Amino acid sequence: MWKNVAPLFTLLSCSAALNVLLTNDDSWASANIRATYTALKADGHDVLLVGPAVQQSGKGGTFVLPTTDIVAPGGEFASIPVGAPFFGQDSQNPNLFYFNGTPAATVVFGIDIVAPKHFGSSPIDLVVSGPNEGQNNGPFLYTLSGTIGATYTAVERGIPAIALSAGNSTHRSFTTNTNETSDPANLAAKVVADLVRALSDKVNVTQERLLPLGIGLTVNIPTFGPDSNCSAPPFTFTRLTGGATVNQITLDPNTGFPVSNDLEARGINANINGIREDPGTSTGVITEICLLTKEDTGETPTSAECETAVSIFAVDYDAPERIARPIQKRIRTNIRSNHLL
Ligand SMILES: *[C@@H]1O[C@H](CO)[C@@H](O)[C@H](O)[C@H]1NC(C)=O
Ligand SMILES: *[C@@H]1O[C@H](CO)[C@@H](O)[C@H](O)[C@H]1NC(C)=O
Ligand SMILES: *[C@@H]1O[C@H](CO)[C@@H](O)[C@H](O)[C@H]1NC(C)=O
Ligand SMILES: *[C@@H]1O[C@H](CO)[C@@H](O)[C@H](O)[C@H]1NC(C)=O
């Protein structure tokens, strides 16, 4: 319906009114998701919020469905009473739903059960997940984060999706929003709305997808708030695997117990698929696996500054042909010469 009665602002800015399914992992009652709902609605989009009933941080892409109604202590921030159904609609706003599952299960419930009732035969143009309370930089958190888990699950279903993760990690209810533009939730929500506009302006979504099949975005927003000087971060294109860290274990000399440290390891930073943002040395064609150096724009170092890091990912985990072929050839040759088959 919104598509036919686009508000004046949308007409003036030539941006498309999108069918947006909004989700997260910090629960449907978090300040960030509700501020983002308001910001995307203000841009004329038809926004359907379906978020987890409780905090589901760190669940990655795990898929857990509810088998009971809401149990004690109830929904996050007392947003749902104990004994309420496993999913439900806000009594004030019919566009807001909770579902008592993991983020990946919640987004699929949104896609298969709630969206068809809300959008009718019109498809979901975009899934927006977040903004998470805390950044999710690098491949290690790509797998661990429920915000990103819901995103790649939607991408796997064939729906363009964006994960957003904000530096301010305070877990807070929407009822704590100050309603000032400087509130960290409102600042993060504005980044989301700006990015959605940049992605969808001049795209007719009835003719063209917002992102190709199998492709999503993961976006890391810097820290906002009274204890930070950052309020208007520019967007910077980054690689997910740039300056990324993974765990290393050392033994504490005093206790003898293992402790983990962040290691900027070679494997996690191997530049196999992405654009190597290093105009000084790039030939435009990546012919070898090159390790990112500090000059390359990885999302981890970029979002530590007052910049929003935008990485484009694929859910195709396969190694590219130029790398896979020689490995296949060696295995095949050795199998044949050793008569293993
Ligand atoms: C912010 O706005 C909402 C909705 O108008 C209102 O319910 C809430 O009380 C306001 N919060 C503050 C701190 O003014
Ligand atoms: C978008 O595409 C549809 C289908 O081709 C067309 O009917 C509609 O007029 C287009 N909208 C705009 C704004 O160009
Ligand atoms: C994060 O947000 C909270 C809640 O608005 C705020 O109290 C805190 O100062 C913010 N953190 C930073 C680093 O600004
Ligand atoms: C913010 O900027 C002021 C003035 O430039 C500086 O004194 C202060 O240390 C900065 N705070 C942070 C958190 O960067």
Side-chain angles (χ1 to χ4, degrees), residues 1-4 17-23 37 40-41 44-50 89 94-97 107 109-128 159-160 205:
M1 276 317 197
W2 272 95
K3 294 211 147 165
N4 301 326
L18 306 172
N19 290 341
V20 177
L21 174 60
L22 176 62
T23 193
Y37 171 84
L40 292 174
K41 285 292 280 188
H45 303 302
D46 188 348
V47 187
L48 172 64
L49 187 162
V50 185
Q89 190 172 27
N95 300 330
L96 311 180
F97 288 82
V107 78
F109 187 80
I111 291 167
D112 289 330
I113 307 298
V114 192
K117 291 192 175 64
H118 183 89
F119 297 122
S121 58
S122 172
I124 299 166
D125 300 313
L126 183 67
V127 166
V128 173
I159 302 170
V205 289

Side-chain angles (χ1 to χ4, degrees), residues 204-207:
N204 185 337
V205 289
T206 63
Q207 294 175 351

Side-chain angles (χ1 to χ4, degrees), residues 211-247:
L211 293 169
L213 262 186
I215 299 295
L217 301 187
T218 176
V219 179
N220 277 284
I221 301 171
T223 301
F224 287 145
D227 302 324
S228 153
N229 282 339
C230 181
S231 59
F235 290 109
T236 302
F237 288 118
T238 49
R239 286 170 36 75
L240 231 157
T241 57
T245 61
V246 70
N247 288 326

Side-chain angles (χ1 to χ4, degrees), residues 239 270-276 284-291 318-330:
R239 286 170 36 75
N271 182 345
I272 296 166
N273 287 314
I275 297 168
R276 190 166 181 240
V285 180
I286 298 165
T287 53
E288 57 183 331
I289 300 174
C290 38
L291 293 178
D318 289 274
E321 184 175 356
R322 68 175 199 285
I323 290 171
R325 283 284 187 223
I327 299 169
Q328 290 180 338
K329 193 175 164 212
R330 183 167 79 236

Side-chain angles (χ1 to χ4, degrees), residues 100-168:
N100 197 19
T102 53
T106 300
V107 78
V108 172
F109 187 80
I111 291 167
D112 289 330
I113 307 298
V114 192
K117 291 192 175 64
H118 183 89
F119 297 122
S121 58
S122 172
I124 299 166
D125 300 313
L126 183 67
V127 166
V128 173
S129 182
N132 187 61
E133 295 162 345
Q135 289 181 340
N136 288 306
N137 281 302
F140 181 81
L141 283 163
Y142 174 93
T143 58
L144 191 77
S145 155
T147 302
I148 306 181
T151 307
Y152 57 68
T153 300
V155 171
E156 287 163 2
R157 282 292 299 265
I159 302 170
I162 310 179
L164 299 113
S165 306
N168 192 307

Side-chain angles (χ1 to χ4, degrees), residues 15 192-203 235:
S15 65
V192 182
D194 287 349
L195 182 67
V196 169
R197 210 177 301 131
L199 182 69
S200 61
D201 263 4
K202 312 208 168 51
V203 179
F235 290 109

